[in-house]
Amino acid sequence: MKIYLSILFLFLSSFVFSQVVDEGDLEKGLQQGKEIKPSIKLYKIYSLEKDTTYVDTSLSIKNEYKYNFLRKDIFGLIPFANEGHTCNVLNFGLIQKSILPSFGFSAKHFNYLQASDIKYYSVPTPLTELYYKTVMEQGQSLDAFLTVNTKPNFNFSIAYKGLRSNGKYINNISSSGNFRFTTSYFTKNKQYFLNAHFTAQDISNQENGGIIDTKLFEQSNPPNDQRDRLDVYFKDATSLLKGNRLFLEHSFFLNKNNPNSLVFTHTFNTEYKFFEFTQSSSSTRFGDAFSNSINNKTRFNNFYNKIGLGYKTKNFGSLNFYVDDNNYNYYYNSLVYDNLGNIVVPNAISDRINMLGGNYTYFTSNLTAKIELAQTISNQSISNVHAMLNYTPNDNIKLEFKYQKLNSLPNLNYTLYQSRYVDYNWLNNFKNEKLNQLSFSAFTKWLNTSVQYKVLNDHLYFDNITDDITKLTVKPMQYDKTINYFSVNANKDIKFWKLGLDVTVLYQKVDQASDIVNVPELTTRSTLYFSDHVFKKAMFLQTGVTFQYFSKYYGNDYNPLIGEFYVQNETKFGNFPMFDFFINARIKQTRIYLKAEHFNSSFTGYNYYSAPNYPYRDFMVRFGLEWNFFK
């Protein structure tokens, strides 16, 4: 971690006074000896899907929602008490399934940046962004970022997000680091394009298993109002997710001068990661153990190549075909034997998956349509059909339609897991999961709405077979019936004078024979805020109150041993209000944030939880800032 920070600040000091990049009017102004400030829209951010935005230094209610450790709007998630721990999912529609089998341990991946999360940049002058926010009891959260174009066609960025927070409870320290380096390049004739990145990430959490006696928390009489006085299940357990990834995507156009051209594409991705759970002494809560101390380590490496050939036209869209090769190894350094000396749980799953696919994209000035088909040509039977349509009839209306039919392999930790706890060793042969998903969204000046409908078959989940929160024997299960999920999400930001009211409401309903997919029926967030310029327009001020709520339901519980949430139908939680008061200010490119989080906690009752026996956050005041430097 210290090495990455040293590298980052070396680059910061080297480029903060770099010369500006010659570009259009900027170049002309420099030639004439004029100092010209580039338009903010020249500071571009784009994804692998070529969705392009630009650097946002404004102060809006959407920026307020994104000012958190994950750096995105987390409506539909409820975080645990300490910063950098896991989040429980309230909005089931947020859960996405990949066609290829993933590593698993999904509760540990909220802060893990996937390849699709990495952004690339093009800037006329060096750009630096600093994010800082206070945490819970000793520590800080910092995200430092620098990007520069050494030439108009060559960019790199380097960033590091670091966190340390002691937390309020016993054995609750969070410590993480996310290092990323990106580069993008294209030839001057725009015949060849390249995007690449490297990430090194580690996410460590002390795991206390939650508080033992929730009645003491709900009473919160002295001394139990001091959270480190509450007894917890584990005082010596730690989980660690760590991974490194190298990613490259590039393309070559055969005819640089003709808008109708063949294009060759190649994507390469290699990644190594592991999940480790350690405990100095075994706990009876997980049952019998093979040894007094616990050290479970699951390793995974993946080598992926995708080669494509496409034909792009000016008037009829683009057609692409590809073949990919996914080679992975998921493994342990041990074997599990039965009493007769037979191997009952092997040490590895290794496989190679080859897929053949294609997609067609058609676009006009106000319409984009895309359909993608993929099917395995190796021994596995997996497939994907994905269709998307975006239509913008005018500036006030944008319509979006998506459909997906997915037949996917189980995540690897459902199939194989080893532990020094006796009951946490398994080898399974589950069926493929099947998903049919349809969604429609309408973004208008009057109302933003989205409707989602999912049909799940052979759904995989984790379940505690003891039905006792004090005895956790959590196993992977497969549901042999159909689950129907439906949701409606509506949002409206109403503005009058200098006041604003931003309201988001999510309604969810599940039709199933057994309670497997549990969701709160109603989830909502409303913010009443005031915005105005002050001090002769030297400062822009925004202040308000945010209210959050979700209805009571059998929310999933968290098992730190396997880094997963599991289904439980014994304890309901929810039906508690969460009020935050904030004062935010913007001075030039600096945004300052001050928030009193959950200020109602002491007078509306201590019955707030992120999961059974995992309390939500108490009232606290937090401060932070975002600061952009343009040179």
Side-chain angles (χ1 to χ4, degrees):
M1 183 182 295
K2 292 181 179 179
I3 294 175
Y4 296 138
L5 282 172
S6 301
I7 294 172
L8 175 60
F9 286 108
L10 176 63
F11 275 98
L12 283 172
S13 60
S14 300
F15 288 99
V16 70
F17 297 110
S18 297
Q19 289 185 336
V20 296
V21 178
D22 295 338
E23 185 170 320
D25 293 337
L26 185 61
E27 180 180 7
K28 186 184 296 184
L30 288 172
Q31 291 173 351
Q32 296 174 357
K34 299 178 181 178
E35 184 176 351
I36 296 179
K37 185 177 180 180
S39 167
I40 193 68
K41 292 187 178 181
L42 293 177
Y43 295 85
K44 298 176 182 178
I45 306 170
Y46 57 96
S47 67
L48 291 174
E49 299 297 324
K50 304 302 184 289
D51 296 324
T52 303
T53 58
Y54 55 89
V55 173
D56 183 8
T57 61
S58 65
L59 182 61
S60 67
I61 196 63
K62 289 182 173 57
N63 297 120
E64 157 66 21
Y65 294 152
K66 294 178 181 178
Y67 187 70
N68 56 65
F69 179 63
L70 297 182
R71 309 298 304 275
K72 63 182 181 181
D73 190 343
I74 59 170
F75 177 74
L77 302 176
I78 181 167
F80 275 34
N82 197 15
E83 190 88 315
H85 205 193
T86 188
C87 300
N88 210 341
V89 178
L90 304 176
N91 180 3
F92 184 73
L94 295 176
I95 298 176
Q96 301 296 319
K97 180 65 180 174
S98 169
I99 185 172
L100 296 172
S102 71
F103 181 45
F105 308 97
S106 59
K108 294 292 296 182
H109 278 76
F110 286 96
N111 182 37
Y112 191 88
L113 297 173
Q114 306 291 351
S116 58
D117 297 321
I118 303 299
K119 305 299 182 184
Y120 302 87
Y121 303 86
S122 176
V123 293
T125 67
L127 167 68
T128 302
E129 180 176 277
L130 297 178
Y131 163 96
Y132 170 81
K133 193 172 187 179
T134 56
V135 293
M136 295 77 179
E137 299 293 337
Q138 300 181 21
Q140 57 278 318
S141 174
L142 175 68
D143 193 354
F145 162 82
L146 167 70
T147 183
V148 62
N149 274 66
T150 57
K151 294 181 180 180
N153 59 332
F154 178 64
N155 172 277
F156 73 83
S157 73
I158 187 168
Y160 183 82
K161 181 169 72 170
L163 166 75
R164 182 175 177 85
S165 177
N166 277 15
K168 301 280 188 179
Y169 296 84
I170 298 172
N171 197 50
N172 199 209
I173 294 176
S174 293
S175 177
S176 66
N178 305 78
F179 173 82
R180 59 250 192 226
F181 175 86
T182 75
T183 185
S184 55
Y185 169 80
F186 60 88
T187 55
K188 291 183 178 180
N189 60 9
K190 296 187 177 180
Q191 190 172 11
Y192 174 77
F193 293 82
L194 176 144
N195 291 313
H197 73 253
F198 170 77
T199 60
Q201 305 178 75
D202 59 275
I203 300 164
S204 175
N205 298 105
Q206 289 185 336
E207 305 283 5
N208 59 31
I211 57 176
I212 295 176
D213 191 343
T214 57
K215 291 181 180 179
L216 294 177
F217 169 76
E218 292 177 12
Q219 293 168 357
S220 287
N221 296 322
N224 294 314
D225 55 346
Q226 301 175 40
R227 300 313 187 192
D228 56 359
R229 297 294 187 95
L230 294 169
D231 201 10
V232 296
Y233 282 103
F234 313 129
K235 299 178 181 178
D236 56 357
T238 302
S239 67
L240 172 65
L241 173 68
K242 191 169 184 176
N244 296 332
R245 178 176 63 246
L246 178 63
F247 178 91
L248 180 147
E249 180 188 71
H250 53 153
S251 58
F252 177 78
F253 289 81
L254 191 62
N255 192 332
K256 63 181 181 181
N257 298 317
N258 193 331
N260 303 327
S261 174
L262 285 173
V263 57
F264 300 93
T265 61
H266 174 231
T267 301
F268 168 78
N269 187 4
T270 181
E271 185 169 25
Y272 168 77
K273 65 169 77 171
F274 68 82
F275 174 74
E276 184 176 39
F277 179 87
T278 56
Q279 201 171 14
S280 58
S281 57
S282 60
S283 169
T284 56
R285 193 183 185 205
F286 291 126
D288 296 335
F290 293 118
S291 60
N292 291 328
S293 63
I294 306 299
N295 189 343
N296 302 334
K297 189 171 185 178
T298 309
R299 301 166 176 86
F300 172 75
N301 57 50
N302 179 235
F303 193 83
Y304 178 83
N305 273 287
K306 177 181 177 181
I307 298 174
L309 174 64
Y311 183 66
K312 294 186 179 292
T313 69
K314 183 178 181 180
N315 299 320
F316 302 103
S318 61
L319 181 65
N320 300 277
F321 297 97
Y322 66 85
V323 61
D324 68 11
D325 176 70
N326 186 63
N327 190 2
Y328 64 84
N329 187 25
Y330 170 96
Y331 60 100
Y332 298 87
N333 290 336
S334 59
L335 297 167
V336 179
Y337 298 88
D338 62 14
N339 294 331
L340 301 176
N342 301 312
I343 297 174
V344 291
V345 180
N347 69 320
I349 302 175
S350 299
D351 205 356
R352 168 164 262 158
I353 301 174
N354 298 117
M355 298 194 69
L356 181 66
N359 62 72
Y360 173 71
T361 304
Y362 176 78
F363 49 86
T364 63
S365 59
N366 59 356
L367 184 144
T368 301
K370 182 177 181 179
I371 183 168
E372 181 176 358
L373 307 173
Q375 176 68 51
T376 49
I377 53 177
S378 49
N379 295 330
Q380 308 82 5
S381 178
I382 59 178
S383 61
N384 184 33
V385 178
H386 192 199
M388 179 271 293
L389 175 68
N390 285 337
Y391 178 54
T392 308
N394 54 58
D395 293 339
N396 296 323
I397 300 174
K398 179 182 177 182
L399 305 177
E400 185 178 89
F401 168 84
K402 292 182 180 179
Y403 170 74
Q404 185 177 28
K405 182 178 181 181
L406 187 64
N407 183 0
S408 60
L409 290 170
N411 288 345
L412 297 171
N413 64 332
Y414 282 92
T415 303
L416 173 65
Y417 186 71
Q418 281 190 20
S419 172
R420 295 189 181 182
Y421 283 107
V422 176
D423 292 329
Y424 285 82
N425 291 273
W426 58 71
L427 176 67
N428 297 307
N429 185 23
F430 290 121
K431 298 177 182 178
N432 286 7
E433 291 187 279
K434 288 88 176 176
L435 168 69
N436 272 280
Q437 179 174 287
L438 181 70
S439 66
F440 172 77
S441 302
F443 306 94
T444 73
K445 68 175 183 179
W446 305 282
L447 185 69
N448 298 325
T449 59
S450 61
V451 179
Q452 188 177 75
Y453 180 65
K454 291 185 179 185
V455 179
L456 300 93
N457 286 288
D458 298 315
H459 175 67
L460 288 166
Y461 64 100
F462 286 94
D463 188 28
N464 181 22
I465 62 176
T466 67
D467 295 329
D468 181 358
I469 200 169
T470 65
K471 300 290 183 181
L472 294 184
T473 305
V474 176
K475 301 280 188 179
M477 303 288 180
Q478 188 158 44
Y479 189 58
D480 60 358
K481 296 180 177 62
T482 299
I483 299 174
N484 293 278
Y485 166 81
F486 173 78
S487 71
V488 179
N489 189 313
N491 166 260
K492 176 61 178 175
D493 189 3
I494 306 168
K495 294 183 180 178
F496 172 75
W497 185 57
K498 299 174 184 180
L499 295 174
L501 176 63
D502 184 83
V503 180
T504 302
V505 178
L506 171 67
Y507 172 79
Q508 300 177 99
K509 195 69 177 177
V510 182
D511 181 17
Q512 54 190 346
S514 303
D515 292 333
I516 304 300
V517 174
N518 296 326
V519 297
E521 190 169 280
L522 179 66
T523 305
T524 185
R525 177 181 66 194
S526 300
T527 301
L528 178 64
Y529 61 97
F530 171 86
S531 305
D532 194 17
H533 287 91
V534 295
F535 303 122
K536 296 181 179 180
K537 296 188 177 182
M539 174 189 290
F540 181 74
L541 183 70
Q542 191 170 81
T543 181
V545 176
T546 297
F547 163 73
Q548 298 182 79
Y549 171 87
F550 61 93
S551 53
K552 209 165 191 177
Y553 79 117
Y554 289 112
N556 290 348
D557 203 355
Y558 173 60
N559 187 327
L561 176 62
I562 57 174
E564 293 279 4
F565 282 89
Y566 65 90
V567 174
Q568 62 88 27
N569 291 289
E570 292 76 49
T571 304
K572 282 188 174 183
F573 62 92
N575 193 31
F576 57 87
M578 295 169 280
F579 285 95
D580 301 333
F581 172 73
F582 63 88
I583 302 176
N584 303 331
R586 177 181 180 267
I587 305 172
K588 294 184 178 181
Q589 283 79 46
T590 304
R591 284 87 68 204
I592 303 169
Y593 298 86
L594 179 66
K595 180 182 287 189
E597 297 184 358
H598 201 192
F599 67 81
N600 61 299
S601 62
S602 62
F603 56 83
T604 55
Y606 295 94
N607 63 337
Y608 42 86
Y609 295 90
S610 299
N613 79 313
Y614 282 95
Y616 180 63
R617 297 170 178 176
D618 292 313
F619 163 67
M620 69 177 303
V621 177
R622 301 177 68 187
F623 164 82
L625 59 84
E626 287 179 310
W627 197 351
N628 289 104
F629 301 90
F630 299 88
K631 174 57 182 176

